[in-house]
Amino acid sequence: MSEQGFWNQEWMEIQQKYWQNWSDFSRQALGGKAVPKSPWENAMEHWWQVVSPAAPDMTRDFMDKMMNQGKALFHMADEFSRNFQENGAATEWNDVMSKTFADMKQGFMGMPEAGGDDALHKMMAFWEMPLDNWQRMVSSLSLMPGDMLCNMPHGGHLERFLSAPGLGYTREEQGQQQQMMLKVLEYQQALQDYMQFFSNLGVLAVDRMQTRVGEIVADGKQIDSARQLYDTWVGVCEEAYGEQVMTPEYAKIHGRLVNALMGVKHEMAVMVDESLGAMNMPTRTELRTLQTRMQENRREIKGLKAEIAELKAALASQVAAKPKAAPRKKAAVKKKAAAKR
Amino acid sequence: MFPIDIRPDKLAEEMADYSRKLGKGVENLLNSEQIDTGVSPKEAVYTEDKFTLYRYTAPEGVKQNSVPLLIIYALVNRPYMTDIQENRSTIKNLLAAGQDVYLIDWGYPDGADNSLTLDDYINGYIDRCVDVIRQRHGLDKINILGICQGGTFSLCYTSLHQEKVKNLVTMVTPVDFKTPDNMLSAWVQHMDVDLLVDTLGNVPGELLNWTFLSLKPFSLTGQKYVNMVDVLDDEDKLKNFLRMEKWIFDSPDQAGETFRQFIKEFYQENGFLNGTVKLGEHLVDLKNISCPVLNIFAEQDHLVPPDASVAPQENSTSASIPLSAR
């Protein structure tokens, strides 16, 4: 690898092969011959598996992002290109386009029907980014990797069971655990609403994309590269997102999601504190109280220090002013003393 | 004519090009050394708790303004943005223009700083920095440049300590926190900030990163990296990108009580406009600001929309000069 760098001959051959596949496909567009799905992606992944162990964490994370976006970019172009190549000659372009957009919408509604492969789902993965960001953030606030709360059991009659009062000697503990589970359920519901919002938003974005493509046609222009298609899609998504997240409905969904997560974490903190208290160890609540009191003391001390400094400065200036007047007074005293004598 | 006509050979070419750039990019990424940030020489002149007051070294042959300038940056990101690279440095330009520049680096608050309030930051830390500078230069008043949230702090400070401020510059500073195009504001209206702070204590930088990325998720977490591939084979551009990337994700945790107050008093209660911001025992009134104010804001800013920034001229008695930038 070191002699050839990361860009080696093998990789070039894979690219060439891919190009060849496409060219063959292009020639036999109506021949019905199956074309291998996403050889580019496979080759890319193979290459990355070889290279990535040598890369430092930051670089690997960074490259992962570019790889994933590259996949989204070319999956989309792939999907559109295939649909147009396979059906374009036989039907009107707007029929083909409608079918492609209908497939995309189905992808958002959780019903991928992309001929049994997951190409459409991967293309849609682009839309999972806000959710992915959320889950990364939740993971960073937790000891456990990922958003473990979203996989906890829920649904059915669980809520009713959890509302039943605790019994016997451990009723308080039962109540606390029930409260915890209810908070988890609240979080799962809030997360579901959040995901549903994005699913609806995705459908809206597809409609917008269809309109945008119509406008491009009306202007006598054409999208002729994967990058142009991707940029148009990003623009449309951002536009639809920007409008929808400013609605009062989303503000509530967003608020509920954050509050529900905090509700769970708060219950956890209460339980942890109780355990610490039982072990005769300082709890987080106690530490917070100490921190607050300490900060109050520091604030007062700093204020007093500033006052002392001001007083010292004032005193110093008074002392500095005194020596000039002093000799006269002494002289006056001497005069008085002399007069008495 | 087909609206989307991506020829297979062209698509294959694009893919190959993307892959080639990625391949080359790994080499450049592995070769890129530690990402440096902050290019102008400076010395620490005062420290307290987690923060440091720096003074930047004046370039040779440049006559300095006799009134120094204190830059107050936001708590939510690191201040090296003002001096991020040789050809993109506000500080460098200010120094070249003869300004004697000081800057407060807030550092990284930890759990022990949870109880710091806005009053501690503004009437405590900032006021002491201003006093240090005044003393060093034997002056009654200095100039202040506040950036973003630091601008909001500067407005509060000037309102309460007008006798110590000669001129005030606010840069991308929110004043009206409830303009219709303010996404952040819309999102926090239903957020229970008491529950959040009581639960987490300090507010983690990751939570803030998520919020900022959510403003434009597809551009900021997706398209940006596709665009990045185009500059991967250019070492300088790659380094500049990595610097920005480092800055974006270098988000210090926020002292819990300060965060609680900031969200409640500014975002939820729009305190500047309603005259409800209270720091310690003092009510903040922008009408107390009587020094000249230069208000700089961007016309396309999704974090601080321009309408959020234009309020100072209507809410203070000072001679305000708004300056917008594209």
Side-chain angles (χ1 to χ4, degrees), chain A residues 141 258-259 261-263 265-266 269 284-285 288-289 291-292, chain B residues 110-111 113-117 188 191-204 207-208 253-265 268:
Chain A
L141 300 186
V258 176
N259 295 344
L261 178 66
M262 290 307 127
K265 288 193 75 68
H266 189 74
R284 194 168 177 174
T285 312
R288 290 260 172 85
T289 307
Q291 282 169 351
T292 307
Chain B
D110 60 30
D113 301 306
N114 173 52
S115 302
L116 284 174
T117 60
V188 297
M191 206 173 79
D192 186 344
V193 70
D194 286 329
L195 176 64
L196 184 105
V197 173
D198 291 344
T199 304
L200 297 178
N202 280 356
V203 176
L207 186 64
L208 300 174
D253 295 348
Q254 302 294 294
E257 289 308 319
T258 299
F259 185 84
R260 186 199 309 262
Q261 258 184 300
F262 195 73
I263 297 295
K264 277 179 142 176
E265 298 207 10
Q268 292 182 338

Side-chain angles (χ1 to χ4, degrees), chain A residues 130-304:
Chain A
L131 185 65
D132 183 52
N133 289 338
W134 168 258
Q135 281 170 335
R136 278 168 194 259
M137 192 278 293
V138 172
S139 174
S140 74
L141 300 186
S142 161
L143 285 174
M144 309 297 285
D147 184 1
M148 65 162 190
L149 297 173
C150 80
N151 296 320
M152 285 176 89
H154 64 284
H157 297 287
L158 197 55
E159 229 165 305
R160 282 186 62 203
F161 283 119
L162 292 172
S163 302
L167 294 166
Y169 186 69
T170 59
R171 61 181 300 281
E172 271 189 35
E173 278 174 22
Q174 288 173 43
Q176 207 170 50
Q177 282 161 6
Q178 284 172 328
Q179 183 66 11
M180 177 73 197
M181 284 307 290
L182 280 170
K183 292 288 175 193
V184 172
L185 289 181
E186 266 177 46
Y187 172 69
Q188 284 170 338
Q189 186 56 53
L191 188 62
Q192 231 163 38
D193 292 346
Y194 184 73
M195 288 161 78
Q196 186 58 48
F197 178 86
F198 277 94
S199 176
N200 297 342
L201 188 55
V203 173
L204 181 72
V206 174
D207 283 336
R208 289 279 175 86
M209 182 70 176
Q210 198 162 357
T211 310
R212 181 65 51 85
V213 171
E215 287 165 4
I216 289 170
V217 174
D219 290 347
K221 293 177 184 162
Q222 215 176 22
I223 292 174
D224 62 358
S225 71
R227 184 61 177 275
Q228 204 186 340
L229 179 65
Y230 175 83
D231 287 344
T232 309
W233 177 231
V234 171
V236 162
C237 292
E238 212 69 270
E239 188 184 286
Y241 175 85
E243 285 170 17
Q244 293 302 307
V245 296
M246 287 301 289
T247 57
E249 182 204 354
Y250 179 76
K252 283 181 191 157
I253 289 172
H254 181 274
R256 209 158 54 226
L257 184 67
V258 176
N259 295 344
L261 178 66
M262 290 307 127
V264 175
K265 288 193 75 68
H266 189 74
E267 280 303 315
M268 279 181 185
V270 170
M271 290 167 85
V272 169
D273 262 10
E274 292 212 353
S275 305
L276 288 170
M279 290 187 281
N280 205 21
M281 288 176 76
T283 65
R284 194 168 177 174
T285 312
E286 289 165 358
L287 278 177
R288 290 260 172 85
T289 307
L290 286 176
Q291 282 169 351
T292 307
R293 286 181 190 164
M294 203 166 85
Q295 183 57 28
E296 280 167 7
N297 289 341
R298 294 179 82 231
R299 202 175 293 137
E300 278 175 25
I301 290 168
K302 282 177 182 177
L304 288 171

